Structure formats: C-alpha cells, structure tokens
Amino acid sequence: MTLDEKAWQAARTRIDAAARAAGRDPSTVRLVAVSKTRSADDVRAAHAMGQREFAENYVQEAQAKRAALAGLAGVRWRLIGPLQSNKAAVAAEVFDAVESVDRAKIAERLSAARAADRPPLEVLVQVNISGEATKSGVDPGGAVALARLVAALPRLRLAGFMGIAEPTRDPDRQRAQFAILRACLERARAEGLDVATLSMGMSDDMESAIAEGATELRLGTALFGPRPVKTPA
Ligand SMILES: *Cc1c(COP(=O)(O)O)cnc(C)c1O
C-alpha cells in the first residue's frame, strides 16, 4: 500500500495555516506520525517522504516494527500509549521517547532500565487535561512535582508535557483543556525546569492545540487515513 501524499501535504498546510493564524512560526510545530496499526511498509513510505518521528501506543507492536525497520536511518520511536510498570524495561529499550509517564514508579523503572550506552530517554509527563476519570495522566496539580522527579533521574531527560483533549468538536472546550497543559509548562519553567515540549493536538483538534502553543502534534488519521476499527494488542 502506498501512502496518500496529498493527505500529508494537506496536514502540513493545516499546520502552517494554524500557526500563521496564531502568529507562530510553523517550523516550531513538530509533526509526529502516529503509526499504530499501520504496517512497516507505511512507515517506510512515510520515511521516504521525509518523516522521522513516529509514535506507537503498544510496546510490542513498536518492538516488532522497529525490528522490521532496523535499517531505516534517523527514525525515532515515541511511546504515547499507557505504560504498565512490567513493560517499562522493554519500553526503555525500544523507544527514544516516552510521552506517557504519569507516575513516579514508571519513571523510576524507565531510568533504571535505560542502557548506559544510549542517550538518556526523552520523557514527557502525561497530564489528564480532560478531567475524564477513564483517561490516563497525572492530575494537573501534580504535574510539576512529577516533572521535577523525572528531571532528577539519571537516565531520563525531561522534555515537557503531553495531553489528550476530550473528543469534542467544540473549539472552546479543546482550547480550555490545552491551556491547562500550557499552564503546566509555564509553572515548570517558573520553577527552573528545562522544558520546552508541549505535545498536544491530534487530527481533529490540531488547530486549537497550535493556538494554545503546541510544539508537537501527534497525527494519525489525518496522515494515514482511517484506522481499522480493531487495534492489535
Ligand atoms: C491514536 C492517538 C493519536 C492520533 O490520533 P488521530 O486522531 O488519528 O490523529 C494521538 N495521540 C494519542 C495518544 C493516540 O492514542
């Protein structure tokens, strides 16, 4: 299967327009391709178009894809799905970045398992910005404390925060939730933490996220088309 290059161009056009509307330089918004459920061939095709950052939700799926694509230069794998502590050691090996760190135990296990001959694992603290009980992420009130803990761990490099807005079409609600994540970044900076990444915005809410300062978008369907209904375990 070949990728629809027009979809990628359309996504880039949306990002550029939203950035300009917000008075921002489009190059300050990094595009991460969410490749969960997509084949290794899809990733290869995206790589041929210049894409380097890919995100996955499941440790095992990413492990298999990474192995299948070992020869592909410059690819970076990011974990964006919930992480169980018994998978943390494998995750520390498979990924270049973990965006879903939401408790101390996970951070500690990732740091303990990260190999000494690799760069420190990039970490984002996931914050529950929608307030939905079913969603993962630390409460906004605990986000900076967890970030401080991550920053102090030897084999992790704290980069910033990640959040997922509730699935609503209401741009005001989207923006209000993304503003919570931005406030976490600002508080962390005020405390002297070296953080710059705001990973927020998906295919259906990227404009709101960019308006609230997103520096990273995680796009799946906007790039690859609709996902199959069932996701592999
Ligand atoms: C699946 C997923 C995405 C991508 O969602 P799309 O709506 O397909 O763009 C982004 N972030 C997370 C955490 C996801 O699980």
Side-chain angles (χ1 to χ4, degrees):
M1 190 191 128
T2 59
L3 287 186
D4 179 4
E5 283 192 44
K6 283 212 184 83
W8 288 67
Q9 276 160 14
R12 197 68 243 181
T13 302
R14 272 176 74 183
I15 294 168
D16 290 357
R20 273 196 306 274
R24 301 183 53 199
D25 175 352
S27 72
T28 61
V29 184
R30 167 169 62 198
L31 171 54
V32 171
V34 177
S35 49
K36 65 182 175 207
T37 78
R38 316 295 175 176
S39 68
D41 278 346
D42 283 342
V43 173
R44 212 176 270 115
H47 182 271
M49 297 190 315
Q51 184 66 33
R52 292 295 178 270
E53 302 272 344
F54 294 90
E56 292 280 339
N57 284 56
Y58 303 100
V59 175
Q60 269 147 325
E61 184 182 346
Q63 195 173 23
K65 245 174 255 181
R66 189 189 165 110
L69 296 166
L72 223 50
V75 170
R76 299 187 79 244
W77 294 100
R78 315 180 69 87
L79 177 65
I80 58 173
L83 181 57
Q84 296 164 301
S85 54
N86 63 359
K87 297 228 176 93
V90 182
E93 196 182 306
V94 169
F95 293 98
D96 302 288
V98 174
E99 303 202 358
S100 48
V101 170
D102 63 358
R103 56 198 191 276
K105 184 178 175 187
I106 293 286
E108 285 156 0
R109 291 210 175 179
L110 287 171
S111 182
R114 182 67 169 182
D117 62 352
R118 305 224 3 231
L121 182 69
E122 181 185 337
V123 163
L124 304 190
V125 168
Q126 182 176 355
V127 184
N128 183 347
I129 56 173
S130 71
E132 296 166 286
T134 55
K135 290 293 162 64
S136 24
V138 64
D139 285 339
V144 176
L146 182 56
R148 224 185 287 119
L149 182 141
V150 168
L153 286 168
R155 301 297 300 141
L156 305 184
R157 181 176 69 77
L158 174 71
F161 297 91
M162 186 271 263
I164 305 168
E166 67 170 291
T168 169
R169 296 271 170 182
D170 177 353
D172 292 335
R173 287 182 71 92
Q174 294 168 354
R175 285 192 62 159
Q177 291 172 20
F178 292 138
I180 294 171
L181 201 69
R182 181 161 48 80
C184 290
L185 187 83
E186 284 163 4
R187 265 187 287 128
R189 278 193 180 146
E191 290 200 16
L193 290 171
D194 182 16
V195 282
T197 303
L198 270 183
S199 172
M200 56 189 197
M202 319 196 327
S203 297
D204 288 335
D205 54 21
M206 63 174 114
E207 281 83 6
S208 295
I210 291 168
E212 290 298 333
T215 66
E216 174 183 320
L217 301 174
R218 309 176 309 270
L219 303 188
T221 51
L223 302 175
F224 294 102
R227 269 185 298 276
V229 176
K230 276 203 166 176
T231 56

